[in-house]
Amino acid sequence: MDELIHQDPELAGYIRQETERQNFNFELIASENFASRATIEAMGTVLTNKYAEGYPGKRYYGGCEFVDKVEELARERAKKLFKADWVNVQPHSGASANAAVYLAFMNPGDTLLGLDLAHGGHLTHGSPVNFSGITYKAEFYGVEKDTGRIDMNKVREKAKEVNPKMISIGASAYPRDFDYQAFRDIADEVGAFLWMDMAHTAGLIAAGQLNDPLMISDVVTTTTHKTLRGPRGGMILVGKDGENKLGVTARKSGRVKNWSEVLDSAVFPGSQGGPLMHVIAAKAVAFGEALKSDFIEYQKQVKRNAKHLAEEFTNHEYDLVSGGTDNHLILVDLRSKGLTGKVAEEALDRAGITVNKNMVPFDTESPFVTSGIRIGTPALTTRGFGEAEFTKVFELIDTVLKNPTDEQNLTAVKVQVKELCTQFPLYDLEQV
Ligand SMILES: *Cc1c(COP(=O)(O)O)cnc(C)c1O
């Protein structure tokens, strides 16, 4: 970052401060991770200069011979990683990948059946404040009050009642795995497309640590920066490609197209312009890392750490939504402790522990206050934290939550957070 420090010291200063924040705090936001130095390097390259609208071999600009290689490499690695027939690595983000799926398979006004945002779903699955809920008719399934889990019989009832064009699976705050075959059966019964958004869990799925939706869903979307540990971005995959007779583009063209063709057109020119080639290069780096055997070990540890953390919480009389976890995150219901998510998040933040407040199912507080916090293990596991360190993480969280307004208490915790972080170095400040 020598040039940047010289040319724009103010901005460089903010980046260094953020690097220090990441280095010396407990990063427990379930959707975050730490990309490798190589992944970050790829993003800071001249590839950002290149316009490459279109796809490898079929571009609308000259001079694409090298970026074609970059995109092909990213695609081949992603296909291998997820055993998919086809992939599009151009979506700028998870939300952009999802926008392309809607464009491909839904007409405005068509019905989507998705997981309720208040029960762990995502904004792009039909929330009224998002394009998905504005453009399409959104219907929701949720989790059961007593179990915190999705009841597939209820999903079937709802699907028969609302007759959706597409059913979405996937969540931002659901600590359990999904029964994809049960969703497939329901989608087939009502003649709906089946779309899995594995934004949070892609890394665990790639490493075989959760059920695999690729061959069962019609289409799968993901981010590349959560458990997958790549650069900020999105991706669309099709496990088994073939003729798609129902999609919007297929109907309009008067010719039956494959899923892959329909989705390629929905990304470009359907919803994006030029791809971010520097980010696609970084995706290739991260997919290459994910194909190595130590990635499976990493994902196993992510899960072990989450399970261990869940046990620490339940052993100390905290309520967890669904009573535990199958994946990388837990959802703590703080009502029995007399706390709100907002109070907990702010106190933890002052102690150097970063989590996010989160609605729990059937929450009585507003989304700005909430009754819960969401805690994820991917980022600290990347640093090298194992179960022993997560015991300490729990103890420090518990110390904060017992006295959330005691500033001395928070400062004492912050010192211990920094100490543990120092034992597990992250980014070298001299390199950034
Ligand atoms: C994070 C997330 C997204 C959106 O990803 P962005 O890159 O933030 O746009 C979409 N769906 C789910 C389920 C997510 O968790």
Side-chain angles (χ1 to χ4, degrees):
M1 221 171 70
D2 291 351
E3 190 63 30
L4 189 58
I5 290 167
H6 178 70
Q7 186 188 311
D8 195 337
E10 182 185 358
L11 181 79
Y14 300 145
I15 295 174
R16 286 183 84 113
Q17 281 177 313
E18 171 60 12
T19 310
E20 294 237 33
R21 191 193 65 80
Q22 293 186 18
N23 278 345
F24 296 117
N25 287 275
F26 283 172
E27 185 52 74
L28 290 164
I29 293 180
S31 51
E32 293 191 16
N33 211 329
F34 298 120
S36 71
R37 171 59 44 201
T39 299
I40 292 170
E41 265 179 24
M43 277 186 281
T45 61
V46 297
L47 296 185
T48 191
N49 298 332
K50 190 71 199 95
Y51 245 114
E53 282 178 357
Y55 292 101
K58 293 171 285 186
R59 304 283 192 188
Y60 291 82
Y61 288 81
C64 286
E65 59 267 45
F66 303 115
V67 290
D68 274 8
K69 298 263 190 247
V70 168
E71 188 165 345
E72 270 163 14
L73 196 58
R75 295 206 293 202
E76 286 316 309
R77 287 177 180 172
K79 281 198 277 187
K80 196 165 168 205
L81 187 59
F82 290 100
K83 300 176 200 65
D85 272 0
W86 169 91
V87 58
N88 187 312
V89 294
Q90 292 193 3
H92 304 328
S93 66
S96 306
N98 294 354
V101 166
Y102 282 102
L103 189 62
F105 302 130
M106 304 262 282
N107 279 313
D110 281 351
T111 302
L112 170 85
L113 178 60
L115 176 61
D116 195 336
L117 180 63
H119 290 205
H122 190 260
L123 281 168
T124 56
H125 295 205
S127 159
V129 298
N130 180 264
F131 79 90
S132 55
I134 294 167
T135 316
Y136 310 99
K137 186 170 183 311
E139 297 282 354
F140 300 101
Y141 58 89
V143 301
E144 296 305 296
K145 203 166 188 171
D146 50 341
T147 61
R149 295 176 188 244
I150 297 165
D151 177 342
M152 294 311 296
N153 289 323
K154 297 270 176 71
V155 179
R156 174 175 284 106
E157 271 169 35
K158 189 81 188 179
K160 285 187 165 162
E161 179 195 323
V162 304
N163 202 19
K165 181 77 178 294
M166 182 159 74
I167 298 176
S168 70
I169 323 170
S172 297
Y174 185 59
R176 297 299 177 175
D177 205 350
F178 296 102
D179 182 348
Y180 297 112
Q181 192 55 51
F183 274 104
R184 176 81 263 171
D185 293 343
I186 294 167
D188 289 345
E189 270 179 58
V190 299
F193 291 115
L194 187 62
W195 158 40
M196 166 60 181
D197 178 353
M198 59 173 187
H200 260 260
T201 48
L204 290 159
I205 290 168
Q209 299 307 305
L210 286 175
N211 296 333
D212 190 333
L214 264 293
M215 292 313 239
I216 304 177
S217 322
D218 295 312
V219 59
V220 175
T221 55
T222 184
T223 64
T224 47
H225 50 273
K226 299 183 184 174
T227 50
L228 203 46
R229 206 164 59 179
R232 188 158 297 279
M235 172 160 73
I236 311 178
L237 302 113
V238 170
K240 185 147 182 48
D241 200 12
E243 282 190 351
N244 155 36
K245 297 197 171 73
L246 300 169
V248 175
T249 327
R251 282 201 306 276
K252 279 187 183 150
S253 73
R255 166 176 88 76
V256 178
K257 291 187 176 180
N258 282 352
W259 294 92
S260 55
E261 281 179 277
V262 173
L263 285 158
D264 265 343
S265 324
V267 174
F268 175 84
S271 55
Q272 288 192 169
L276 312 174
M277 290 314 308
H278 56 307
V279 177
I280 291 173
K283 287 173 183 171
V285 175
F287 300 155
E289 291 169 354
L291 283 165
K292 296 195 181 131
S293 59
D294 58 358
F295 188 73
I296 296 177
E297 273 318 302
Y298 162 66
Q299 298 293 350
K300 283 184 177 167
Q301 192 61 49
V302 166
K303 249 178 85 168
R304 277 198 294 266
N305 286 343
K307 191 162 183 288
H308 181 73
L309 192 61
E311 282 163 8
E312 290 286 0
F313 273 96
T314 47
N315 289 344
H316 292 83
E317 275 95 50
Y318 283 87
D319 290 334
L320 297 188
V321 173
S322 85
T325 179
D326 296 330
N327 55 28
H328 62 298
L329 67 84
I330 62 173
L331 204 52
V332 189
D333 185 337
L334 294 165
R335 285 177 289 196
S336 63
K337 297 277 178 183
L339 291 169
T340 64
K342 185 170 189 285
V343 165
E345 180 194 294
E346 285 169 6
L348 288 165
D349 212 17
R350 284 204 296 282
I353 300 172
T354 316
V355 302
N356 64 283
K357 61 177 186 255
N358 212 100
M359 301 277 276
V360 297
F362 309 97
D363 210 324
T364 40
E365 300 286 350
S366 77
F368 296 101
V369 178
T370 80
S371 295
I373 48 172
R374 188 184 65 162
I375 307 181
T377 55
L380 288 186
T381 306
T382 293
R383 283 191 93 127
F385 280 34
E387 283 106 317
E389 288 74 30
F390 269 96
T391 296
K392 188 76 188 162
V393 169
F394 167 76
E395 285 168 7
L396 293 173
I397 292 174
D398 188 42
T399 306
V400 169
L401 296 183
K402 276 183 177 142
N403 283 302
T405 52
D406 178 347
E407 285 301 327
Q408 246 179 337
N409 178 40
L410 302 183
T411 311
V413 169
K414 201 179 168 87
V415 171
Q416 294 187 62
V417 167
K418 193 166 180 178
E419 260 171 29
L420 193 54
C421 287
T422 311
Q423 290 171 36
F424 293 84
L426 185 59
Y427 294 118
D428 182 352
L429 210 58
E430 294 316 306
Q431 281 187 329
V432 293

